[in-house]
Amino acid sequence: MLAELEEKKAKLKQESLIFKEKRSQLNAEASRWAAKRNELNKETKELIEKAQELKKLRDEYNTKVAESKKLRDELNEKTNQIYAKIDEIRKKYNLSGDRSIRELRREIDHLEFRQQTEVLSPDKEKQLVERIAMLHNEFKLRKEQLEKNEELKKLLEEAQALREQASKHHEDVTRYAELAQEYHDKMIATFKEADQKRAEADAAHREFIKAQEAADEQHREFIRTQREIRDFDKIIMGLKKKSRDAREDRAKEAAKREAEEILNQFKKGEKLDTTALLRLQRAGLV
């Protein structure tokens, strides 16, 4: 039975070493996943901060767009008011043709905007350019006719100055709008990258949890085998002590019987040597 217990204990020790080694491997794996997760979370945070900075820049340029639009529209409104006054004077004195210079200016602006923003076929592009050139010539002639009147000349110069200011603000609107769009696109791309990093961090965290739980299971098995090994040690030690005590009892009993026989021989008159006396002494008979 003792040999069987020793064999089971040895088997448990082997299992315990396997559980311990596996636990160490899984804890190392969990640490690697945790390090990767932490690095990805750090990168995610940095990307979000970058995206917030891009958002701030986009909003600043959108504010500039709104401000420039307001100034442009105010100047255009003042220009329109002057052109309206020019039309009143033109009609009053029956100057130039039926079509007002303001209408010509509006059509020119509209067509030039189309030319800048629309994708046209070569034929339509040519027609549009020719139309704009024709209108510019007509506008120039009308303007020259009106400038013969000193009052109209002064108003036209004032309208032109305002229009040039409005044009500068319109250029600002375009430039700021492009910058705002550029930062917006970068912001969206950065947020997407941050989302991807966050998804990778979440996946790494799931792998960390999986490895950690597996390591905990191996640890529990290691503790269980260690506890069972200690239980086997107690049983084996008890059996060994019991066997040892039994051997000692048998030896004492044999020594006692031998001493009693020596004592009986002594009583019969036989002489005892030193060895015999020592045996009697150890047996407690002298």
Side-chain angles (χ1 to χ4, degrees):
M1 181 177 179
L2 188 60
E4 184 181 349
L5 290 172
E6 290 282 8
E7 184 180 349
K8 289 183 177 180
K9 175 186 169 183
K11 186 178 179 181
L12 278 170
K13 279 187 174 180
Q14 187 62 31
E15 289 179 1
S16 180
L17 288 173
I18 293 172
F19 289 137
K20 183 180 180 181
E21 179 63 23
K22 189 65 176 175
R23 179 192 65 185
S24 297
Q25 292 174 0
L26 288 165
N27 276 331
E29 183 182 347
S31 295
R32 288 194 296 271
W33 282 116
K36 184 174 182 180
R37 175 203 61 196
N38 294 342
E39 180 61 28
L40 287 166
N41 279 332
K42 179 185 175 183
E43 291 175 8
T44 301
K45 182 181 177 183
E46 290 172 352
L47 285 167
I48 289 173
E49 289 174 353
K50 180 182 176 182
Q52 292 293 350
E53 286 298 318
L54 291 168
K55 181 178 182 294
K56 183 179 178 182
L57 288 169
R58 180 203 65 182
D59 293 345
E60 287 176 359
Y61 279 111
N62 277 333
T63 299
K64 289 182 178 181
V65 168
E67 291 171 350
S68 296
K69 274 185 178 180
K70 183 180 178 183
L71 291 171
R72 179 199 64 188
D73 293 345
E74 288 174 353
L75 289 166
N76 280 333
E77 179 59 28
K78 289 179 180 179
T79 303
N80 289 333
Q81 290 174 3
I82 293 173
Y83 277 131
K85 191 172 182 181
I86 290 171
D87 284 342
E88 289 178 5
I89 296 171
R90 181 180 63 83
K91 289 177 182 178
K92 179 179 178 182
Y93 295 103
N94 194 25
L95 300 173
S96 73
D98 296 330
R99 196 171 187 192
S100 71
I101 196 168
R102 178 170 56 170
E103 290 172 350
L104 285 170
R105 182 76 266 168
R106 283 177 177 175
E107 186 174 356
I108 291 169
D109 290 341
H110 172 69
L111 294 178
E112 286 180 341
F113 181 77
R114 279 191 60 197
Q115 185 185 20
Q116 293 170 6
T117 58
E118 293 183 17
V119 179
L120 302 171
S121 66
D123 287 341
K124 288 188 176 181
E125 177 80 17
K126 182 181 178 182
Q127 291 174 11
L128 186 62
V129 170
E130 290 175 351
R131 175 66 177 167
I132 291 171
M134 184 189 72
L135 289 170
H136 270 296
N137 287 332
E138 185 178 351
F139 182 85
K140 182 181 178 182
L141 290 172
R142 295 284 178 86
K143 185 170 178 288
E144 288 174 353
Q145 289 174 356
L146 294 173
E147 284 177 344
K148 291 176 182 178
N149 181 296
E150 284 300 321
E151 184 180 2
L152 290 177
K153 181 180 179 181
K154 184 178 179 182
L155 288 171
L156 284 168
E157 289 174 351
E158 186 179 350
Q160 183 61 28
L162 289 171
R163 187 177 180 280
E164 288 174 358
Q165 292 179 48
S167 179
K168 289 179 181 179
H169 287 300
H170 180 70
E171 289 173 1
D172 289 339
V173 169
T174 303
R175 180 162 55 89
Y176 293 145
E178 288 175 353
L179 287 168
Q181 187 62 46
E182 178 184 341
Y183 285 118
H184 176 77
D185 293 341
K186 288 180 179 179
M187 178 197 73
I188 294 300
T190 305
F191 271 128
K192 285 183 179 179
E193 189 178 354
D195 288 341
Q196 179 62 35
K197 291 290 183 182
R198 185 185 292 109
E200 292 176 16
D202 291 343
H205 181 66
R206 287 193 293 272
E207 292 298 327
F208 162 75
I209 294 296
K210 188 191 301 182
Q212 191 64 62
E213 288 177 347
D216 291 344
E217 178 60 28
Q218 295 300 312
H219 178 69
R220 285 191 290 272
E221 289 299 311
F222 171 75
I223 295 300
R224 176 186 63 79
T225 52
Q226 287 292 305
R227 186 169 55 250
E228 290 184 8
I229 288 169
R230 288 194 296 273
D231 291 342
F232 271 102
D233 279 338
K234 290 177 183 178
I235 295 171
I236 290 169
M237 287 175 64
L239 288 173
K240 285 182 176 180
K241 184 176 183 302
K242 186 177 180 181
S243 177
R244 188 169 57 251
D245 290 346
R247 286 197 303 272
E248 289 176 357
D249 289 344
R250 286 195 299 272
K252 286 179 181 179
E253 186 64 30
K256 184 178 180 182
R257 285 196 301 271
E258 185 180 4
E260 287 176 347
E261 186 176 344
I262 292 171
L263 184 60
N264 287 333
Q265 289 176 357
F266 174 71
K267 288 178 179 180
K268 291 178 181 179
E270 293 184 12
K271 291 183 178 181
L272 301 178
D273 57 16
T274 303
T275 302
L277 288 171
L278 287 172
R279 288 177 179 175
L280 289 172
Q281 188 178 17
R282 284 197 294 270
L285 298 178
V286 295

